[in-house]
Amino acid sequence: MNFKNALLITYPIEESVNEALSLAETAGYVIKKIVKQKHITQSKYGIGKGKAYEIKDLVNDLNIDIILFDEVLKPTQQYNLAFLCKRDIIDRERLILEIFERRASTSESRIQIKLAQLRYEMVRIKEKVRLAKMGEQPGFFGLGKYDADVYSLDLKSQMSVLKKKLDKEEKRRTLYRNQRNRMGISTISLVGYTSSGKTTLFNSLTGESKEVGKEMFTTLSTFTRSLYKNSNQKLLLSDTVGFVNKLPAYMIDAFKSTLHELVFSKLILLVIDVSQTIKNIRINLNSCLHIINELQVPSTKILYLLNKVDLTTVNNAYEKAKMLDLKYPNNIVLPISAKTGYNVNKILDLIDMLVYGNNLEIQNNGYL
Ligand SMILES: Nc1nc2c(ncn2[C@@H]2O[C@H](COP(=O)(O)OP(=O)(O)OP(=O)(O)O)[C@@H](O)[C@H]2O)c(=O)[nH]1
Ligand SMILES: [Mg+2]
């Protein structure tokens, strides 16, 4: 555990504050002070100059060890703010990387995280070299120009070793997949925002007892099991890593080998936490769809599951689905509760229909 006293800089929006607090807590920081700012992507310090100087005083007065910045900062901004406040700055990307590092339990996820960390460094080293070349910040973070170049080469060689290891994993996966294909076994995958309830549903559909939790990113490795089903055909269900807003492209890239499985899934069960505000759902859903789109998975493969309906009402869930214009496939969305088991059996019927084309009576009200 870190147990470092932190000051958090985030947006003055309830959802942003809550999510940032959740991330900070999951990473093990104790938030002593929250500074809310409308604009945190400004040029020199991320925040305005006046605010930056205020924070400089705050961190001394409140014995703050570290500053958490709920945005992705450019290296120069990070450097400027760190230099002014004499504290290390953890931006949103680094915070997520820290959480992933703590949670990675399989060798593959550890390699993926390491690769993402090196990429984070790599992106920054270029800027550091640039700063050093301009002579603006000699020895920036203890790295002179020469050191930075060597460092950069070193990062590249470490990355290529890790990529080779991941390639091996990918080959192993492809082998398994081909085997399954030959045996006529299809896979469906659970995806969704972190903490939407994927693993709770996975456990309920497979009889597993995988770890679920309030914290973000409880699941980091894809896990596959046979699905309990009514019909005889064997079907596998995969639980996957949760998505989060502003996940950098290189991180998705690092997880590509595990997420790649989605491309070969017959059906994607997209789990939405329908108990959240419509604004929040919209933002989170867009992040999920963006990533699914990056992986070139056709949106027609998605079945939307409105989870945690026990915390709201079925009507409210349908209303939200209409506002979000969720249509695929065949206008079906299903309110469920992975926790109480509400409508979980219906998921199995829908899977039968959507994967095997077995008929199912659909009420003609636009939604099932
Ligand atoms: N009330 C209610 N809570 C739920 C439901 N489904 C899941 N939860 C809770 O939501 C939290 C997150 O559940 P998980 O199953 O770990 O969510 P996840 O999507 O696998 O999360 P990550 O692995 O972290 O991405 C846990 O505290 C669950 O108990 C539900 O239908 N109703
Ligand atoms: Mg999970």
Side-chain angles (χ1 to χ4, degrees):
M1 274 286 175
N2 277 309
F3 292 127
K4 276 187 178 164
N5 288 340
L7 176 143
L8 169 68
I9 302 170
T10 184
Y11 292 100
I13 303 163
E14 198 188 338
E15 289 88 357
S16 299
V17 176
N18 289 342
E19 189 181 78
L21 279 176
S22 236
L23 282 171
E25 202 176 295
T26 306
Y29 292 104
V30 182
I31 302 295
K32 291 282 173 189
K33 174 87 187 158
I34 303 177
V35 175
K36 296 173 194 167
Q37 284 288 285
K38 224 175 179 170
H39 304 288
I40 61 174
T41 52
Q42 294 185 18
S43 56
K44 190 165 179 185
Y45 301 105
I47 42 173
K49 193 174 170 190
K51 210 59 192 175
Y53 276 82
E54 247 175 62
I55 287 171
K56 177 190 169 204
D57 293 336
L58 273 174
V59 292
N60 286 323
D61 295 346
L62 300 173
N63 266 332
I64 301 287
D65 303 311
I66 211 151
I67 297 172
L68 305 183
F69 201 100
D70 190 26
E71 253 300 341
V72 180
L73 281 174
K74 292 198 186 95
T76 14
Q77 297 170 319
Q78 203 164 354
Y79 172 79
N80 290 339
L81 195 60
F83 192 79
L84 177 74
C85 298
K86 304 282 178 284
R87 297 292 187 283
D88 202 2
I89 315 289
I90 311 258
D91 72 350
R92 191 177 165 95
E93 276 184 43
R94 214 173 120 191
L95 189 62
I96 294 171
L97 281 173
E98 278 191 6
I99 297 173
F100 273 43
E101 189 182 13
R102 286 163 57 116
R103 296 212 165 260
S105 56
T106 62
S107 67
E108 187 179 20
S109 60
R110 272 195 289 267
I111 299 170
Q112 288 168 327
I113 306 303
K114 187 74 199 152
L115 189 61
Q117 282 170 332
L118 292 175
R119 284 190 171 137
Y120 177 90
E121 270 304 297
M122 196 69 197
V123 173
R124 276 151 184 82
I125 203 82
K126 280 184 197 146
E127 185 76 3
K128 288 177 187 176
V129 173
R130 193 184 66 81
L131 285 168
K133 276 191 182 145
M134 279 165 51
E136 270 184 5
Q137 317 280 2
F140 179 23
F141 282 14
L143 292 167
K145 175 189 170 307
Y146 180 72
D147 280 343
D149 282 346
V150 171
Y151 189 36
S152 169
L153 272 179
D154 183 42
L155 289 182
K156 271 189 193 149
S157 79
Q158 285 186 51
M159 276 161 64
S160 95
V161 172
L162 293 175
K163 270 189 225 154
K164 277 195 190 119
K165 284 189 184 166
L166 283 181
D167 281 351
K168 259 193 200 154
E169 287 289 330
E170 178 81 51
K171 284 208 180 90
R172 195 180 52 84
R173 278 177 191 283
T174 310
L175 212 71
Y176 276 144
R177 197 164 46 235
N178 290 344
Q179 257 172 8
R180 291 199 305 255
N181 277 348
R182 271 199 300 276
M183 292 161 78
I185 304 170
S186 307
T187 302
I188 56 182
S189 296
L190 284 162
V191 299
Y193 210 72
T194 180
S195 290
S196 57
K198 298 177 294 299
T199 307
T200 310
L201 183 61
F202 177 83
N203 287 342
S204 156
L205 288 171
T206 60
E208 271 293 332
S209 48
K210 288 279 155 192
E211 187 188 355
V212 300
K214 261 197 243 119
E215 306 79 29
M216 305 170 86
F217 306 117
T218 306
T219 311
L220 278 193
S221 313
T222 302
F223 197 82
T224 307
R225 270 287 173 274
S226 287
L227 191 67
Y228 283 159
K229 268 194 0 78
N230 310 332
S231 61
N232 293 327
Q233 289 113 325
K234 192 171 158 99
L235 202 55
L236 297 177
L237 181 67
S238 286
D239 188 13
T240 62
V241 56
F243 299 149
V244 70
N245 293 317
K246 293 181 221 156
L247 197 66
Y250 64 79
M251 213 130 128
I252 301 170
D253 211 45
F255 276 86
K256 220 159 209 162
S257 59
T258 30
L259 290 174
H260 200 54
E261 290 288 308
L262 297 185
V263 178
F264 302 97
S265 291
K266 275 269 156 63
L267 186 68
I268 309 281
L269 305 178
L270 201 163
V271 183
I272 296 173
D273 178 350
V274 80
S275 71
Q276 296 184 322
T277 61
I278 184 74
K279 188 171 156 203
N280 224 12
I281 298 174
R282 203 186 292 276
I283 296 170
N284 297 353
L285 178 64
N286 282 341
S287 282
C288 295
L289 291 176
H290 176 72
I291 296 167
I292 290 172
N293 197 30
E294 289 255 307
L295 294 163
Q296 298 182 328
V297 177
S299 51
T300 44
K301 272 192 187 175
I302 302 172
L303 170 62
Y304 295 98
L305 299 176
L306 311 172
N307 192 32
K308 305 198 187 181
V309 78
D310 56 294
L311 298 176
T312 169
T313 61
V314 170
N315 274 345
N316 180 264
Y318 280 134
E319 267 167 32
K320 283 173 175 162
K322 276 204 176 112
M323 281 190 248
L324 295 164
D325 204 22
L326 305 179
K327 291 192 175 145
Y328 295 108
N330 310 336
N331 282 346
I332 301 167
V333 290
L334 189 66
I336 62 160
S337 169
K339 202 171 191 171
T340 68
Y342 174 75
N343 267 352
V344 168
N345 264 335
K346 268 204 182 140
I347 301 174
L348 296 173
D349 291 339
L350 279 173
I351 289 171
D352 256 347
M353 181 185 89
L354 296 167
V355 176
Y356 301 111
N358 295 342
N359 268 339
L360 190 90
E361 227 169 85
I362 301 175
Q363 289 166 16
N364 199 16
N365 61 357
Y367 295 100
L368 191 79

